[in-house]
Structures are given as structure tokens and as C-alpha cells.
Amino acid sequence: MEPRLKEIYSFADEINQADFDCVVLLAMGGSAFAPELFSKVFKETKNHRKFYMLDSTHPDWVKSVSESILPEKTLFIVSSKSGSTIEVSSFYLYFRNMLERIVGTEKAGTHFVAITDPSTPLAQLAKAQNFRKVFLNPENIGGRFSGLSLFGLVPSVLQGIDVKSILVTAEQMILKSKLE
């Protein structure tokens, strides 16, 4: 992932210059675990933007997140390896409809970023609906390793977490284990 860091940090700089107060991660399972863990481990970050993770379809949690944000000042990360996770698709439609009513159909796409594998329905949808950015993750990275892929890194950088140090430490651990 190190070759992708420049792209990720450049995108984070773009978002930091934009008028977003919150980031909401719309994900389930492996796409949600690492950003949640990193947000708890690295509480002190460079970015004071509020971060919410919507990984439950429980109506009270969806309502709580919806009431905690101003949609027009929120960036939504639509994250799905398969690109067809029904819960994530439902979250997207819910917030897309909300944003279209507030900012209009033309501007709504600028509030969304997708993280998915190439050639998925989500990748196609993101292109068709003019998402702000689409991150295509390497297909050969399985779900259990997604924390150190774009699924874990992009949301974490948007929280202000220094993922470069996480990757360097992971590399050092790999090298050490090979020497032993």
C-alpha cells in the first residue's frame, strides 16, 4: 500500500480544504473493523473532524448518526469489497436521497467516496453518480487483511491518523518474523 499513500494523503488534503465537518463510513464487516479499531487506538489525531461509522442497520443507530450530522457538511465513505453489500447499498441510498433534497442531484455525488474492488457494482455506481473519488483496492487482498489496504487506510487518514507509521511498523514486523 505504500505506493498508494501519496494518493490517499492528497485526497485527505483535498477534503481538509473542503467544508466537511464530519465523515461517515458506510461499511459492514471487514471494511469497518480497522477504521473503528484505529479510531479507538489513535484517539489523538491531527484532524478534529467528527467521524462516525455506520456498520449496523439498527434503526436507532442509523437515526442517531443521521441526527448527529449536517448532511451538506458530511463526506460519506461507501466501502464494500464486493460492491454489492445490501446494507451498505441501503445506507448509500438513504443518505444520497437525503443529500439530493438538500444540495440537489448535481452536487450530491461530491459528498461520496467509494472504496471497492475493481469492476464491482459499486465502482460502476460511483462513476455513474459522479462520486468525488473512487479508490479501487487490489482484488487479491482478502477481507481479513483489509485493515492494511485501502479499506482501512483511507478512512483512517480522513480521521487524521498517521497510517504511514502503521504500514512501516507492519513491514518491520514482517521482516522480523522472516529473520526468526
Side-chain angles (χ1 to χ4, degrees), residues 35-147:
E36 178 182 33
L37 173 67
F38 294 159
S39 72
K40 290 179 179 179
V41 171
F42 303 102
K43 293 181 188 237
E44 293 297 319
T45 66
K46 295 181 256 178
N47 182 343
H48 298 289
R49 185 182 302 115
K50 290 186 181 175
F51 180 82
Y52 299 93
M53 186 174 60
L54 198 52
D55 68 339
S56 169
T57 56
H58 192 286
D60 289 341
W61 181 236
V62 175
K63 181 180 179 191
S64 172
V65 171
S66 298
E67 291 175 348
S68 297
I69 63 170
L70 292 173
E72 65 274 19
K73 292 189 158 282
T74 302
L75 180 72
F76 297 90
I77 304 170
V78 185
S79 184
S80 171
K81 184 164 178 53
S82 69
S84 60
T85 310
I86 191 69
E87 296 90 347
V88 174
S89 297
S90 298
F91 293 151
Y92 167 69
L93 290 173
Y94 174 76
F95 287 107
R96 176 71 187 218
N97 287 333
M98 185 183 297
L99 269 166
E100 285 184 2
R101 287 191 307 272
I102 296 168
V103 302
T105 304
E106 293 297 315
K107 290 185 181 179
T110 64
H111 289 263
F112 292 93
V113 58
I115 307 170
T116 190
D117 282 359
S119 305
T120 65
L122 176 55
Q124 295 166 7
L125 174 77
K127 186 176 180 181
Q129 301 233 333
N130 298 314
F131 278 30
R132 183 179 210 106
K133 177 85 172 157
V134 180
F135 287 96
L136 298 177
N137 200 64
E139 291 177 284
N140 63 342
I141 299 176
R144 72 182 69 186
F145 302 106
S146 65

Side-chain angles (χ1 to χ4, degrees), residues 9-26:
Y9 278 108
S10 176
F11 179 71
D13 287 343
E14 174 188 328
I15 296 307
N16 290 338
Q17 298 300 315
D19 194 24
F20 292 114
D21 294 338
C22 300
V23 173
V24 177
L25 175 61
L26 310 175

